[in-house]
Structure formats: structure tokens, C-alpha cells
Amino acid sequence: MDPVALAEAIVEEVACPICMTFLREPWKLHEALEHLRKEQDEAWKLEVGERKRTASWKIQVETRKQSIMWEFEKYRRLLKKKQPPGRRLEVEAAAALASLEQEEGETMQKLEQNRNELIQQSRVLWRLIAELEERSQRPVRWMLQGIQEVLNRSKSWSLRRPEPVSLDLKTDCRVLGLREILKTYAADVRLDPDTAYSRLVVSEDRKCVRYGDTKQKLPDNPERFYRYNIVLGSQCISSGRHYWEVEVGDRSEWGLGVCKENVDRKEVVYLSPHYGFWVIRLRKGNEYRAGTDEYPLLSLPVPPRRVGVFLDYEAHDISFYNVTDNGSHIFTFPHYPFPGRLLPYFSPCYSIGANNTAPLAICSLDGED
């Protein structure tokens, strides 16, 4: 029997108008399969995204936990030089860790719930796709049985996106009284104009630096940075504890920290401890990062207008604090022995926009309460 005659014979046999419509429009089954496969692919991508977010959350929590323990231990160690630490320290440390544990549990529950819902939807999609694929292999008469109900279910399927879960940690790392102890190690840091990139203008008292309007005609001495907006402090550090604070104001870009005395000042600079730089920086007004991409972006609920830098050479500790946020901890680089003498590092970056013109200013800590 030729195809036309076969189709006419089947149409005569089928009384259901829905089935007749399907016979005249056989691509509807293909459309339904394509729709479900796209939804399944989207569900898989969302599930992968949730797994990555969960892994990122665990790293954040573990990093914050280590920071809390390190900072309280640091305070205990520094306080011993002044007075015996009391019971209050242990209570505050335990409270901070308990708060972090509770926050971790609540957020993990939400993330797991999102992932489980996506897995459940993927299973339903898989069954629908399998049913349509199996039906498409049947002889026409049996393929059409209940086809409209299956097509309606397939067309009406819409993937439910997971509820957004904030991964911003609410439990901060803050040790009350630590800043007062750190200030007892205040260093009189001054900038070294001979190291400044030619567009940087260093103040007469060597306490401020800003990005200048024009390139200055300066000698290209070995100490001077040739490519980047960097200036170093004049005091080499090879022992002891040192603390200084820098006013960054409303600037949208800056960099602060320390670097090795013998870093390459003429070629490409990589702001990583592997290359002798222990630096935190702000970019684009809201991207806080420690070093290069090897460390995740830093979440700072309160943008710092003043940043504290603490260097304990023998303890291999370089830490940063948000003075604006009552001295909350920003970041501590992993503790490894320093490879030689260090110098304070400053970068005002470029003067882009109205919020990036004020100078970086080293603050005086004398006479502060």
C-alpha cells in the first residue's frame, strides 16, 4: 500500500480528532522532546552551579573559622606581653565560633534543599523524556494512545529555579581590644619618593601619595617602578612587629601591603606571595581581593575608608583590618617564612572618575584614644 493510502486508512480508523491532528502534525512529538531536553540541560547546569556554590561556601566558612582562631590566638599572644589574658577571651572566641557554626548549618540546609529539588526535577524530566522516546518507537496505532495527555504534560513543564541563597558571611572576625594592642606597635612609615612611579606625586612629609595629571621627568634609578603605580615605604623590615594605618577614603581602586626589598621594579608585576608581594587591593569600586586570583574575592559588608596593616616578622604574619568597621579582620596571608627584608607597599592606582582622586594617606596614630 502506498503511503498516501496508508495514511488515509489510518485516519479512517482513528475516530479521535486529537489523534487526527497529531497525524497531520507529527512534529509535535519532536517539539515536546526538544523542550524537555532543553529543560533537562538547564536543570543540570543549575545543579552544577549549586554544587560549586556549596563548595565555595564551605571554603569561605573554613577560612573564616581559621581567621577567628588565628586572630584570638594572636590577641592572646600579644596580650601576654602586656597582661595575662582573662577568661573573657575564651568566651568571646567560643561565641564567635558557635555563631559561625549556626550560620553554616542554616545556609547549608538551604543549599542542600535547592540541590535536592533540582535533582528531583531532573528525575521527573528523565522519565518524561524516556516515555516520549519509547512512544516514538511504537507503531502508529499504539503510539497515539493517550498521546494528548503526554504532550500536555510535556508542554506545560517549566523548571522551577532554586531560591537565591546569600553566601555573604554574617559572622565577622572581630576581636575587641585588638586594635589597641596593635597600635602599641605603631611604625612611623614614610614613603620613599625614589621608588615612586613617574605619575605618582608624593607629599613633602612623605605621608601621602596621589596619581598625578602628568608624567614627571624623574631619573630612572634602579629603585623606581617603571610600569606600575607603586611607591614603597622607606623603612626596611627584617624583624619585629609593625603596625600602620592608611586612609583610603572613598577611592574606587587602591592596593596596600608589603613586598620583598628586591622585587623586580622594571618588568611585569604579579601581586602574589610567590613573587614577593603580600597585597590586598580594591578594583572597580567593590572587588576586594588578596593577591591574585589564587585567593577568592573578599566579602566586606562595610567598605573600609581606613585600613590597618600588621606585620609580625618572626610569626610570618601579614594581616589587614577594616578600621572603619571597628577593626574587623579583612585577611591574613598563609603563614610562611618571609624570604628577606620587606618594605611597605602602596598603590593609589589610576585617577578614574570622581571617586579615585583623593590621595592615599598614612595616618598618625599618636594621641589616638
Side-chain angles (χ1 to χ4, degrees):
M1 184 181 291
D2 66 273
V4 175
L6 176 61
E8 288 175 353
I10 294 173
V11 167
E12 286 176 8
E13 234 180 82
V14 178
C16 173
I18 294 172
C19 297
M20 292 176 67
T21 301
F22 178 75
L23 279 172
R24 294 190 183 102
E25 301 174 351
W27 62 84
K28 286 185 179 290
L29 185 62
H30 175 73
E31 283 182 350
L33 272 170
E34 284 299 302
H35 169 66
L36 293 177
R37 284 169 181 151
K38 284 180 181 177
E39 292 287 277
Q40 188 181 47
D41 185 56
E42 182 65 18
W44 179 78
K45 288 178 181 176
L46 287 171
E47 187 190 337
V48 169
E50 287 300 304
R51 283 205 300 267
K52 288 180 178 178
R53 282 166 57 79
T54 300
S56 172
W57 171 252
K58 289 179 177 177
I59 292 171
Q60 278 192 71
V61 170
E62 185 57 33
T63 302
R64 183 61 52 85
K65 182 180 178 181
Q66 289 294 331
S67 296
I68 290 171
M69 292 191 296
W70 283 348
E71 288 304 297
F72 274 97
E73 177 54 35
K74 179 190 296 179
Y75 188 35
R76 190 177 291 110
R77 187 175 68 249
L78 296 177
L79 199 59
K80 277 183 180 177
K81 303 286 183 181
K82 315 293 179 183
Q83 63 186 68
R87 169 84 177 146
R88 178 183 65 84
L89 261 187
E90 294 179 17
V91 173
E92 288 180 0
L97 291 171
S99 172
L100 180 63
E101 186 177 353
Q102 180 180 349
E103 184 180 356
E104 177 186 18
E106 291 171 355
T107 303
M108 280 299 298
Q109 186 177 6
K110 293 175 185 176
L111 290 169
E112 286 296 326
Q113 182 178 340
N114 279 350
R115 185 163 172 264
N116 289 337
E117 286 179 0
L118 286 168
I119 291 172
Q120 184 63 31
Q121 290 186 85
S122 292
R123 288 172 180 165
V124 174
L125 279 166
W126 182 84
R127 288 197 292 268
L128 276 172
I129 291 169
E131 182 179 351
L132 284 179
E133 287 177 337
E134 186 272 333
R135 187 179 284 271
S136 68
Q137 302 303 315
R138 296 180 188 175
V140 174
R141 180 177 297 182
W142 288 278
M143 179 181 69
L144 296 178
Q145 291 177 0
I147 187 66
Q148 191 61 37
E149 188 270 334
V150 175
L151 288 176
N152 285 342
R153 273 193 293 139
S154 302
K155 286 180 180 177
S156 64
W157 176 270
S158 181
L159 188 67
R160 296 187 305 277
R161 266 60 176 175
E163 287 290 325
V165 178
S166 172
L167 298 188
D168 291 335
L169 273 167
K170 299 179 182 67
T171 304
D172 59 13
C173 178
R174 189 196 319 272
V175 183
L176 298 176
L178 178 58
R179 181 174 175 245
E180 284 63 38
I181 296 293
L182 294 179
K183 281 163 59 178
T184 64
Y185 298 101
D188 182 21
V189 175
R190 293 181 184 271
L191 304 171
D192 181 356
D194 290 339
T195 67
Y197 176 65
S198 57
R199 288 291 292 263
L200 298 185
V201 179
V202 176
S203 64
E204 253 185 70
D205 64 358
R206 297 191 292 147
K207 287 288 188 176
C208 297
V209 59
R210 63 178 176 84
Y211 185 81
D213 298 329
T214 58
K215 203 169 186 178
Q216 304 169 85
K217 292 182 179 179
L218 299 171
D220 184 21
N221 48 290
E223 299 88 358
R224 192 176 308 284
F225 281 89
Y226 178 72
R227 294 173 178 265
Y228 299 97
N229 301 320
I230 297 171
V231 59
L232 303 181
S234 57
Q235 176 191 12
C236 275
I237 300 171
S238 58
S239 64
R241 298 182 175 116
H242 309 264
Y243 179 72
W244 60 95
E245 293 181 358
V246 182
E247 191 77 25
V248 297
D250 293 324
R251 294 185 63 81
S252 57
E253 299 200 343
W254 49 260
L256 296 172
V258 299
C259 69
K260 288 194 308 181
E261 182 186 22
N262 61 348
V263 292
D264 192 333
R265 307 186 189 191
K266 304 301 180 184
E267 297 302 326
V268 176
V269 164
Y270 296 98
L271 298 179
S272 163
H274 298 297
Y275 295 93
F277 290 88
W278 293 261
V279 171
I280 65 167
R281 54 200 173 102
L282 168 64
R283 294 292 183 271
K284 303 176 185 176
N286 59 5
E287 289 185 5
Y288 296 94
R289 188 181 290 283
T292 50
D293 294 345
E294 62 196 294
Y295 301 110
L297 286 172
L298 304 172
S299 175
L300 303 183
V302 178
R305 293 175 57 86
R306 183 186 284 205
V307 176
V309 184
F310 178 65
L311 170 61
D312 186 337
Y313 196 93
E314 282 75 21
H316 318 132
D317 179 7
I318 174 69
S319 297
F320 301 86
Y321 300 90
N322 186 349
V323 180
T324 312
D325 190 27
N326 297 316
S328 62
H329 176 258
I330 296 176
F331 186 78
T332 295
F333 279 96
H335 296 174
Y336 294 109
F338 295 120
R341 301 206 303 176
L342 305 175
L343 289 165
Y345 167 106
F346 305 84
S347 175
C349 301
Y350 296 95
S351 292
I352 304 171
N355 289 341
N356 218 47
T357 55
L360 293 181
I362 303 168
C363 305
S364 172
L365 300 179
D366 292 337
E368 280 203 354
D369 294 332

